Amino acid sequence: MVDVLVAAPLRLELHWEQGVLAETVLGWAGEGEKPVLLTEEARSVQACLVRYVAGEDVEWPSLPLAWDRVTPFRRRVLQALVADVPAGAVTTYGDLAARAGSPDAARAVGGAMANNPWPLLIPCHRVLGGGGRLGGFSGAGLPMKRWLLDHEGCADKGARC
């Protein structure tokens, strides 16, 4: 089952499998596109997405994520990211590796960010390369990463867009 959330300019698909969120797909909303909310969880996330796009602070709802699809290392990294890097802040791959208990694993953190199944809900866009380089972004490419960082006010915190 797929819920489609829309708060222009963003579009977020929630892909559900057997009651757990398997992945999110982040992209740009089409002109005039409307949400298709099939689950109660989608209604909660849609309300947060609207507030997020409006520039408000949001706390994304706790959703049943398909953690069995990620390695224990990637789970530690993604959970450290959510716990330690709030909206308006950025971190580096190396710093996030240290926060997750593996200080020499910056490249592996890059892999975890590239394969984050839940972009936006788990804010991999807040992770930068050394010197503020954007690096990559699995959720709709670098223009989306730039937009999200600018929207959160991160451009003045070392993110070189």
Side-chain angles (χ1 to χ4, degrees), residues 9 20-21 25 28 30 32 55 63 65-66 76 88 92 94 98-99 101-102 104 108 112-113 118 129 136 146-147 155:
V20 297
L21 187 58
V25 177
W28 301 108
L63 300 172
L65 303 180
R76 280 196 328 272
T92 64
R99 291 174 194 237
S102 300
D104 296 324
M113 297 302 100
W118 309 286
R146 281 187 200 99
W147 188 92

Side-chain angles (χ1 to χ4, degrees), residues 60-130:
W60 299 103
S62 178
L63 300 172
L65 303 180
W67 286 113
D68 61 327
R69 295 178 177 213
V70 298
T71 66
F73 170 77
R74 287 184 175 172
R75 182 177 184 152
R76 280 196 328 272
V77 168
L78 295 172
Q79 289 175 330
L81 175 59
V82 170
D84 298 342
V85 187
V90 293
T91 191
T92 64
Y93 298 109
D95 184 53
L96 186 55
R99 291 174 194 237
S102 300
D104 296 324
R107 291 181 74 100
V109 166
M113 297 302 100
N115 293 289
N116 173 14
W118 309 286
L120 193 58
L121 301 180
I122 296 187
C124 54
H125 61 277
R126 297 179 190 150
V127 184
L128 307 173

Side-chain angles (χ1 to χ4, degrees), residues 32-56:
E33 187 172 10
K34 301 289 184 206
V36 178
L37 309 175
L38 304 174
T39 64
E40 189 60 40
E41 293 89 351
R43 290 179 207 20
S44 296
V45 178
Q46 174 70 32
C48 288
L49 184 63
V50 168
R51 289 195 313 273
Y52 176 82
V53 168
E56 298 176 26

